Amino acid sequence: MAENEAPDTKRGRSYPEIIKQFNSLNAKILAVVLVGCLVGYHGILRFKDGSDTCQELLTKGRYQGNNLWQPYGCMIHSLSRIDANNCLRKTRFQTGEDSHWAFIGDSRIRQLYFEILKLVDPEAEPSVIVKDIYGNNLDQLLIDVPFRVSAIATEQTNVYSRPLEKAHSSLTYNNSELSFRMTFFWRPFFNQSAVDLIHQLGLSKSVPNVVIAGSGAWDIKLSNGSDAVLDVYESNLEQVAKAANNWPNRNSKLLWKLQDPVDSSKLSEQRQVITNDLIDEYNEIALRVFQHSRFQIWKSARLVTEGMVTADDGLHLNAVTLKHHVQMLMNMYCNERMGFDDGTCCRSAESATTLQVVTFTILLVCLTISSTWMAYRSFDLRLKQRRQSYRSIENLMEADETEEIVKDVMANGHAVQADSLGLDGKTSTRKAAVKDVESNSRIVVTALGKLGLIMAYFYLCDRTTFFMKENKYYSHLNFWVPIGYVFALGFFFHEESRSTKVLHRDQTDEWKGWMQLVILIYHMTGASQVIPLYMQMRVLVSSYLFLTGFGHLSFFWNGGSASFPRLFQVLFRMNLMTVVICLCMNRPYQSYYFVPLVSFWYLVVYIVLALPPKVSSAICEANPVAYLYIIIKLCSLLAAITILYMSEVFFQAIFLVRPWKALFVTSNDEIHEWWFRWSLDRYSICYGMIFGLLYLNAQKFGLIDDSARHHLLSRTRIRFLVVVAALLGLGGYTAFTITCHSKPKCNEVHSYLAFLPIVSFIVLRNVFGPLRVRYSSFFAWFGKISLELFIGQYHVWLAADTHGVLVLIPNYPVLNVMVTTYILVCVAHEVHTITGQLVPLAVPADWKKTLRNVILFFLALVPIAIHDGMF
């Protein structure tokens, strides 16, 4: 609403003042200050606790519900058997050495040994290591000679009647195919035997990569819970710590597993002396002794156990707890080697590439020039104010700016018009003149400087370990509560549009806005595992493409220009943020799949409608045969899409051609992701174009009337039937999503049914006049920056390229979401503003200048293309 307008009571609740406040500089300054405070806060945390994400994995964490364990500040990947085997093979390939794990302790450490073995090789059984005639283990003989026959029990020499999982003996497992060796050393007491074992392991030829040790329950049991044994236990651990400190191999990971709590109600009579109070005392000794030793205390293992029930005997761990322990160990060992997208624990940050360094250098130079110019302007203005104090501040500013305008205009070789300089003294004329003649280069440098600051924040969030990242966690409550809150706000702020047309600008902005907010919540909560929600999100993405087809066909049909500059203006708006992020974040263009998808389909629409014979409303009215042309074009497009879909070989032959191959492949040089996204919504753009053609002609021939605020259809019976059909369409697709239980099958059908819920929604939204002319100003505002929100979420709202969640405020998830959301919205709005400033400069209305800029852009990409092997 304009400032000089009287308030319209019919417009309902609106929030123009809120929008003005957010659009103001104060909101963005607040976001910058907030980011600065968060950077300082995390800097203090890193200085205090260290930046090692392995430390976070092994010390802190919490349950997120449904027995899902979340380490503190990092993401844990759930390794499958294939992942584990690939990790072991890759370790051999990278280091040229076998992976050697050693487990030292009692039956609870043995449980962990078998659980690791179950993950790596479920069908294997370890070999039992025999004892000598005095009952001493011969396991130390296998440290350097793992296949020593004399120390391994055969079927004849194996005298243990109990199963291996309960055998009081050392065990060994060797897998030459995986280059993996795992040994369990039965040491229920950490006495001199354990000290000698640690010492010998450290000096052996094959020093273990990982050592997991733990003891205490047997000391409590055999001492009958006597406190006198505590001093002996502490002395033994001190000797173990000294032996570990002498290890020459500093790359080995030595973990001391704290004793887990027991369930006294399930313990046998012989184990009743093992109490949690005594276990805590033993753990305190271990914490104190190993505080500054090579052994790292594995605290998070006990935290996992505290939240779970024990096994039936009250002493050992249940299967779920063991799986969490195994996943922590495998993440510790494999994440750095494998580089899992959703595994950031024990993983160092990516190294910056040359392209990233060059990009950030250019942006930094622009920021420096812009800041210097602003500082100079401020200093110069104050200096002149002091020298000419006899003049008023207002006249001084007018004179200064007029003088600079003259300099700028003369420098550019243009004639100076007196009325354009604001010499009449009118403020509005002066401001307009300043705006018109402001240097284009200054705008570009300032915009790029701001973009550089934003990209630096992107990089800090998602390409370093400075800020924390956590796994997504889905629950119905986590998903539906934000949805309800967002829609409550959307319905509260509503206005009456000045347009009465179907899918007018306010309505489409509203549609894009609420869809984008729902998609953000969907991504944040990891709701893709729920098939009905997954399929509904597919409809939302299809709706964007539907609106693209509808909007551009309507533009061309109504006589819009198909000029060369307009083509690149649209592409520039779509791609500026994505291209800059690709350069700064070292990610392929296809990582941000929606932008390539919508850009490709826009090019398709442009080619179909711009190439001769051109068709528009005026042409069809003058020559009805032109209707046949548009029908042939649409049928040809549908046929071409179908042929590409039916022949994946033909599809790859087109999209894997250099140099545009780089636009359609992932970082692994695979085109499957593009094939999946393209095929999933292959007909959506056509549905939008067909709907637009039918709507415009129905409007033209009087079948519908949206020129006023009354209902779209005048006849009540027809209107009723149309509404019922639309409700059946929405209900039918929803029923399909509920009854479909396989994503591949759902995706296969989706492309043929996507139009059904979309058209049904459009009908219900527009058939009634009062509903058609009202819209949510809240959603419409977000709709204007929907593209920037979608791309920005990858790195400053989510984390690890959308596989996790960015954590700026740990331990307060709701507050964290509020802060990250506010920063994301500020970033998206600023990038949207920057894009609007750069469009007329990067893509001028003059086609010759546009062609010049396009050529310069492609020339700038040549070195990158050559480096990446695009030619």
Side-chain angles (χ1 to χ4, degrees), residues 53-54 335-336 339-350 465:
T53 52
C54 266
N335 282 356
E336 184 70 32
F340 298 115
D341 292 329
D342 59 344
T344 61
C345 297
C346 296
R347 184 177 171 187
S348 57
E350 292 184 10
T465 58

Side-chain angles (χ1 to χ4, degrees), residues 298-363:
W298 187 8
K299 298 178 182 178
S300 57
R302 178 179 169 86
L303 295 178
V304 170
T305 309
E306 288 176 348
M308 302 292 293
V309 296
T310 61
D312 294 336
D313 61 2
L315 176 67
H316 295 96
L317 307 180
N318 63 24
V320 176
T321 304
L322 285 170
K323 287 181 180 178
H324 287 318
H325 289 175
V326 168
Q327 289 298 331
M328 281 191 277
L329 289 175
M330 296 304 296
N331 273 261
M332 176 194 72
Y333 191 70
C334 294
N335 282 356
E336 184 70 32
R337 296 168 171 82
M338 299 300 294
F340 298 115
D341 292 329
D342 59 344
T344 61
C345 297
C346 296
R347 184 177 171 187
S348 57
E350 292 184 10
S351 301
T353 64
T354 303
L355 181 59
Q356 287 175 286
V357 173
V358 171
T359 303
F360 275 112
T361 301
I362 294 173
L363 295 177

Side-chain angles (χ1 to χ4, degrees), residues 719-753:
R719 186 165 64 248
F720 173 77
L721 293 175
V722 169
V723 170
V724 170
L727 291 173
L728 289 175
L730 284 176
Y733 187 85
T734 302
F736 158 71
T737 62
I738 295 173
T739 56
C740 185
H741 302 295
S742 171
K743 279 187 180 182
K745 293 181 179 179
C746 295
N747 291 335
E748 187 175 348
V749 179
H750 165 76
S751 58
Y752 301 105
L753 297 181

Side-chain angles (χ1 to χ4, degrees), residues 11 15 19 23 486 489-491 493-497 504-517 544 765 774-789 829 832:
R11 292 174 69 84
Y15 71 155
I19 293 299
N23 291 348
V486 164
L489 286 175
F491 291 143
F493 296 109
H494 58 86
E495 298 184 25
E496 190 168 300
S497 176
H504 53 79
R505 180 61 180 270
D506 292 330
Q507 190 182 124
T508 55
D509 283 342
E510 174 204 78
W511 193 358
K512 292 177 182 179
W514 70 257
M515 286 194 301
Q516 184 55 59
L517 294 177
Y544 274 96
R765 185 69 178 84
R774 299 201 73 82
Y775 74 100
S776 169
S777 53
F778 177 82
F779 289 141
W781 187 83
F782 282 100
K784 291 180 173 64
I785 59 172
S786 60
L787 183 64
E788 290 80 7
L789 286 172
H829 184 270
H832 181 78

